[in-house]
Amino acid sequence: MYQATGMLAIQLGASMEDALAMLRAHAFAQDPTLSEIAEQVVDRPIDFRDS
């Protein structure tokens, strides 16, 4: 979770709080859990820069 949040913060130039909020919002809007979304961000199938 923390690694995915950090990756998003760097990718998007966002604060850690905003990056975590983006992860939570994405998980809320999709079926996967927050942990699954975080894993996908770390493994790179999800790239929020394309959003």
Side-chain angles (χ1 to χ4, degrees), residues 7-8 11 23 26 30 32 36-51:
M7 287 177 70
L8 278 183
Q11 284 178 5
L23 278 176
H26 192 75
Q30 306 294 323
E36 291 169 332
I37 295 294
E39 185 176 321
Q40 290 176 18
V41 168
V42 171
D43 292 341
R44 299 203 171 111
I46 295 178
D47 187 342
F48 281 71
R49 291 176 292 191
D50 295 336
S51 301

Side-chain angles (χ1 to χ4, degrees), residues 2-23 48-49:
Y2 297 110
Q3 186 176 3
T5 302
M7 287 177 70
L8 278 183
I10 296 299
Q11 284 178 5
L12 303 174
S15 69
M16 293 294 280
E17 293 83 12
D18 288 344
L20 181 56
M22 287 181 223
L23 278 176
F48 281 71
R49 291 176 292 191

